[in-house]
Amino acid sequence: MNIDDHLFFCAPSRLIIREGARHDLPALLAKLGYHNGILVTDHYFAEHTPWVNEYVQAARQCGINTFVYSGGEPDPSTTLCDQATRQILAQTKGQTPDHVIALGGGSNMDLAKALTLTLRSNKPVACYKDGIGEDEPLPFIAMPTTSGTASEVTPGAILIDPDNATKIALMDNRLRPFIALVDPAFTYTCPPRVTADAGIDALIHAIESYVTMDSKQFERNNNPDPGYSGRTHLSQMFARESMILCARHLRQAYQNGADTQARIGMSYASVFAGLSYGSAGLNAVHGIAYSIAGLTHETHGRTNAVILPYVLYELRDARAQELKDIAAIFGATESGQDTILQLAQKLQTLVSELGIPNNLKDFGIKESDLPRLYTDAMDVTRLRNAFPVPDTSASYLRIIANAWAGDFSDTPNAVLQQAQENLVAYE
């Protein structure tokens, strides 16, 4: 272990991973004394799977009344959250529930986390964009149907503000689920594209948190209860296990969704990655991916995937040993710096095999878009500041230039050089 670790680790008070585990939830909640719940999901799960009705009936037999809200949407907005709050409180006649359950992917989790605040306070969710203050969220139970976001073990929720198309992050350790129930059977019918998007996201969470800023250097801003606090021996332990599982099972889960062992393996991989990044935090991959999403409106997993190999190549000096560790997991056979280049190329290939473009040009981004991409990425300061390099500005230029060309070089192109000059002038 690293005796210099400044360890601050939060996890769900109950983490359950088992095929069929969903059937045990009603009895567990009854034992814990809960009686009135809200189940947040979307139309697909409510109308095209038996899971919602099965749960509601089983919970009723245990003395738990459950109201189902099935209006979940991809990339939920603040408007949706406020509408859902009013609808739920109207239909429950103003009775505040004593727990909130989410069933679905990351979007349903984000909406449900926000509702744990607004259903109790009846405030617009935008009131929490700068922190939740003393408002206590309702107890939250998460049941993920994808293997990727790991929202079931993390402290944040992301909503879109439709007034200015920006993202609002709700971030507090009290938003972590107190029960994370991971039933791999929920993922067995997950379509290939969603499997790929979620699976590569899990791998990126593991890799990015493995190479992020050390806990002793991480800026916590004197927060006694930080959501993210830098990498530690413990976070890296979870990250390594996740990477091993992803290397073994991700391709197979994508290519053959009926392979239950691959599905179960990816369920564990996602949770372990979440336990790593949910403590350590992330950096440049996600920081630049947010800007890519703003230009392309592509999904979160795909925008992360396209930039991943180039971020890792940029870390070849700052995180040489860690990248060699990762390269060994993925079967790289070269030695020295060639090992890291081979790792970057292997990940390029993996991204392509998952049906995702592996360069920005093929992703539909024009060369004229690069200055805006660079500027927007640099504006994501929380993630930029966690990138462990001496000069993030120069690093971001090289990463974006390489990602657009689909190659690995040390010299940004003229467009990016001009973007840097413009940003300096702007600042």
Side-chain angles (χ1 to χ4, degrees):
M1 65 171 290
N2 184 353
I3 61 172
D4 292 330
D5 278 349
H6 296 182
L7 182 62
F8 190 95
F9 185 79
C10 295
S13 58
R14 291 167 180 81
L15 173 59
I16 305 163
I17 311 177
R18 179 173 56 80
E19 187 177 30
R22 66 185 185 276
H23 299 300
D24 298 334
L25 181 60
L28 174 58
L29 291 177
K31 180 179 180 180
L32 295 174
Y34 292 98
H35 300 288
N36 294 289
I38 304 295
L39 193 156
V40 178
T41 189
D42 55 46
H43 291 299
Y44 175 81
F45 293 117
E47 298 171 7
H48 299 286
T49 77
W51 302 329
V52 173
N53 187 54
E54 285 176 355
Y55 172 79
V56 170
Q57 295 199 27
R60 185 180 297 121
Q61 291 175 359
C62 292
I64 300 171
N65 295 317
T66 307
F67 174 81
V68 176
Y69 176 79
S70 60
E73 298 176 358
D75 299 318
S77 67
T78 54
T79 301
L80 175 65
C81 181
D82 292 340
Q83 290 174 343
T85 302
R86 291 191 295 269
Q87 178 181 334
I88 292 168
L89 291 178
Q91 295 194 6
T92 58
K93 296 180 171 55
Q95 180 181 27
T96 302
D98 56 22
H99 65 283
V100 175
I101 303 172
L103 174 70
S107 292
N108 288 351
M109 300 283 181
D110 285 347
L111 177 59
K113 284 182 181 180
L115 288 169
T116 65
L117 288 166
T118 59
L119 287 173
R120 175 169 271 177
S121 70
N122 201 12
K123 296 177 182 177
V125 71
C127 293
Y128 300 109
K129 65 180 180 179
D130 297 319
I132 73 174
E134 297 181 359
D135 287 358
E136 194 66 27
L138 293 166
F140 178 47
I141 301 97
M143 294 195 293
T145 58
T146 62
S147 298
T149 66
S151 294
E152 67 273 12
V153 294
T154 61
I158 302 294
L159 300 177
I160 303 295
D161 183 346
D163 291 337
N164 53 23
T166 59
K167 292 184 177 181
I168 290 179
L170 308 180
M171 194 68 62
D172 194 286
N173 283 320
R174 288 171 288 175
L175 293 175
R176 294 179 192 265
F178 88 100
I179 297 176
L181 190 148
V182 181
D183 187 338
F186 282 138
T187 72
Y188 289 173
T189 57
C190 194
R193 175 160 174 165
V194 178
T195 298
D197 286 6
I200 196 68
D201 199 27
L203 174 60
I204 292 166
H205 289 156
I207 292 176
E208 204 172 359
S209 61
Y210 191 72
V211 299
T212 199
M213 181 115 14
D214 289 327
S215 61
K216 64 183 178 181
Q217 299 169 321
F218 196 92
E219 180 53 63
R220 304 187 191 193
N221 297 314
N222 297 316
N223 186 350
D225 189 28
Y228 300 114
S229 52
R231 70 173 187 173
T232 64
H233 178 80
L234 182 62
S235 70
Q236 288 187 296
M237 179 183 71
F238 283 117
R240 276 192 297 270
E241 187 64 22
S242 177
M243 288 185 282
I244 290 169
L245 290 167
C246 287
R248 185 178 303 157
H249 296 298
L250 176 51
R251 281 188 186 88
Q252 182 63 10
Y254 170 66
Q255 294 170 355
N256 180 13
D259 187 330
T260 58
Q261 290 304 303
R263 293 290 198 181
I264 292 170
M266 286 307 299
S267 291
Y268 276 93
S270 176
V271 171
F272 291 158
L275 291 172
S276 180
Y277 94 85
S279 171
L282 302 167
N283 50 70
V285 176
H286 275 69
I288 299 173
Y290 288 149
S291 301
I292 297 170
L295 288 169
T296 65
H297 304 291
E298 282 280 3
T299 63
H300 180 69
R302 292 165 70 84
T303 54
N304 277 314
V306 70
I307 203 72
L308 171 67
Y310 311 99
V311 171
L312 295 189
Y313 185 72
E314 182 64 23
L315 287 171
R316 63 195 179 279
D317 294 325
R319 290 290 186 260
Q321 186 54 58
E322 291 89 339
L323 293 175
K324 290 174 183 176
D325 295 341
I326 299 169
I329 291 172
F330 282 88
T333 57
E334 300 294 335
S335 59
Q337 287 285 350
D338 289 342
T339 305
I340 298 172
L341 176 59
Q342 187 181 19
L343 170 64
Q345 291 168 336
K346 277 182 171 288
L347 291 172
Q348 267 188 324
T349 300
L350 174 61
V351 169
S352 293
E353 289 175 348
L354 295 175
I356 303 170
N358 67 13
N359 64 81
L360 295 178
K361 192 181 300 183
D362 290 348
F363 220 66
I365 291 178
K366 300 184 292 292
E367 189 172 12
S368 59
D369 293 327
L370 298 185
R372 175 187 165 190
L373 175 59
Y374 167 75
T375 302
D376 289 350
M378 289 290 288
D379 283 343
V380 187
T381 54
R382 175 178 64 86
L383 298 175
R384 185 190 76 200
N385 291 341
F387 195 43
V389 297
D391 185 347
T392 53
S393 177
S395 288
Y396 272 37
L397 285 170
R398 287 190 292 267
I399 290 166
I400 292 169
N402 287 344
W404 192 76
D407 203 353
F408 302 95
S409 172
D410 297 331
T411 306
N413 63 26
V415 174
L416 285 174
Q417 290 283 15
Q418 185 62 51
Q420 186 178 34
E421 293 174 10
N422 291 343
L423 183 63
V424 170
Y426 173 76
E427 292 178 332

